[in-house]
């Protein structure tokens, strides 16, 4: 089994996990993985596309950063996403990151439109999620289709080097060293948005956890935060 074959399978599975978690709906949203400095694997669309929830390894195509096919036949019957610039510009600006997930979690969009700033309002409930929000979650304030490099660069600038950004009236972009982590970050941000909306709906106020609590909220490491969490997500869909 070639590395590319395995990576296509992983990326397809990640698409299905994101859909199962409600982070995307229908045919919207796409994930990518850097192969090298010139190529990436990305979920593409075809005329028989059944939606992100039904992504197969054959839907993951190898392309160059300029959007052309990186091997003969890679785009036969397939089209790159209109928002390819999201992936390319994020990977170019953050060379340490290997994967990008552009998703449309409704709770995150709703919370942002309601004027709710996502902050670490809880701790041990989801330590990884709290840490993700500790320094604030940046927002790209334009509700546009990010379909060219200029808009992609604008979004990346709003991201401020952080791993995740909210695209107002649109969705989110999550970047990480692995596709698993990119999706898990999105799951954590979605959970934080849902909790924030529930607290507000119950008439409560949102407050950051006490500063002294951070000393007792350790980083539990990738074995727990990524590996074990990802096994669970895969088990849910398979």
């Amino acid at each position: 089994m070639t590395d590319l074959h395995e990576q296509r399978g992983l990326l397809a599975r990640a698409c299905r996990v994101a859909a199962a978690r409600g982070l995307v709906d229908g045919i919207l949203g796409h994930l990518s993985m850097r192969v090298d400095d010139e190529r990436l694997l990305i979920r593409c669309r075809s005329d028989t596309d059944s939606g992100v929830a039904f992504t197969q390894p054959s839907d993951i195509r190898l392309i160059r950063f300029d959007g052309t096919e990186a091997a003969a036949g890679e785009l036969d019957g397939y089209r790159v996403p209109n928002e390819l610039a999201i992936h390319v510009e994020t990977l170019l600006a953050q060379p340490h990151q290997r994967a990008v997930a552009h998703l449309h979690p409704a709770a995150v969009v709703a919370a942002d439109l309601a004027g709710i700033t996502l902050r670490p309002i809880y701790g041990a409930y989801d330590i990884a999620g709290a840490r993700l929000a500790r320094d604030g979650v940046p927002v790209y304030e334009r509700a546009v289709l990010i379909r060219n490099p200029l808009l992609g660069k604008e979004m990346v600038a709003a991201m401020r080097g952080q791993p995740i950004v909210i695209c107002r009236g649109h969705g989110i972009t999550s970047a990480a060293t692995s596709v698993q982590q990119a999706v898990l970050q999105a799951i954590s941000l979605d959970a934080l948005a849902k909790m924030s909306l529930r607290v507000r709906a119950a008439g409560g106020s949102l407050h950051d956890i006490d500063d002294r609590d951070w000393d007792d909220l350790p980083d539990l490491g990738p074995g727990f935060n990524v590996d074990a969490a990802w096994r669970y997500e895969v088990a849910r869909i398979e």
Side-chain angles (χ1 to χ4, degrees), residues 8 11-12 41-43 55-62 74:
R8 290 182 207 263
L11 205 52
L41 287 165
I42 190 165
R43 187 194 191 278
T55 302
Q56 297 299 315
S58 57
D59 298 319
I60 310 301
R61 316 305 289 188
L62 182 66
E74 282 291 333

Side-chain angles (χ1 to χ4, degrees), residues 22-164:
L23 302 178
V24 289
D25 189 27
I27 62 172
L28 300 176
H30 24 81
L31 284 75
S32 69
M33 183 188 305
R34 183 199 302 270
V35 174
D36 53 37
D37 291 339
E38 298 179 352
R39 302 176 299 163
L40 70 155
L41 287 165
I42 190 165
R43 187 194 191 278
C44 291
R45 297 193 179 102
S46 70
D47 290 337
T48 58
D49 197 330
S50 297
V52 181
F54 305 99
T55 302
Q56 297 299 315
S58 57
D59 298 319
I60 310 301
R61 316 305 289 188
L62 182 66
I63 66 169
R64 295 187 177 89
F65 276 40
D66 64 4
T68 60
E69 61 183 17
E74 282 291 333
L75 290 180
D76 287 356
Y78 282 88
R79 300 178 299 278
V80 300
N82 288 325
E83 295 184 307
L84 175 63
I86 287 176
H87 303 265
V88 171
E89 297 304 329
T90 300
L91 292 173
L92 288 175
Q94 300 190 31
H96 61 290
Q97 305 290 33
R98 191 175 173 222
V100 175
H102 175 63
L103 307 167
H104 292 183
V108 177
V109 175
D112 178 63
L113 292 177
I116 296 174
T117 300
L118 297 185
R119 297 289 304 165
I121 60 172
Y122 50 57
Y125 180 84
D126 177 10
I127 297 176
R131 286 177 169 273
L132 190 65
R134 185 177 185 180
D135 295 326
V137 181
V139 178
Y140 176 49
E141 297 182 356
R142 301 189 66 188
V144 297
L145 193 70
I146 305 172
R147 57 180 180 173
N148 61 56
L150 178 60
L151 292 173
K153 286 181 172 64
E154 280 187 0
M155 186 209 72
V156 169
M159 206 168 184
R160 304 195 313 270
Q162 296 196 49
I164 203 161

Side-chain angles (χ1 to χ4, degrees), residues 180 184 222-224 226-237:
Q180 298 97 317
L184 290 169
F224 183 86
V226 179
D227 298 345
W230 190 250
R231 285 196 300 273
Y232 167 74
E233 296 300 334
V234 172
R236 287 181 77 243
I237 64 170

Side-chain angles (χ1 to χ4, degrees), residues 170-224:
H170 185 173
I172 67 170
T173 297
S174 175
T177 55
S178 70
V179 67
Q180 298 97 317
Q181 186 176 358
V183 175
L184 290 169
Q185 287 174 174
I187 291 172
S188 284
L189 190 68
D190 184 55
L192 182 59
K194 287 176 177 175
M195 185 65 78
S196 298
L197 289 167
R198 289 178 69 178
V199 171
R200 279 283 188 90
S205 300
L206 302 174
H207 303 285
D208 285 17
I209 60 173
D210 195 291
D211 284 345
R212 64 181 179 176
D213 290 342
W214 288 108
D215 290 339
D216 292 305
L217 291 172
D219 184 346
L220 298 177
F224 183 86

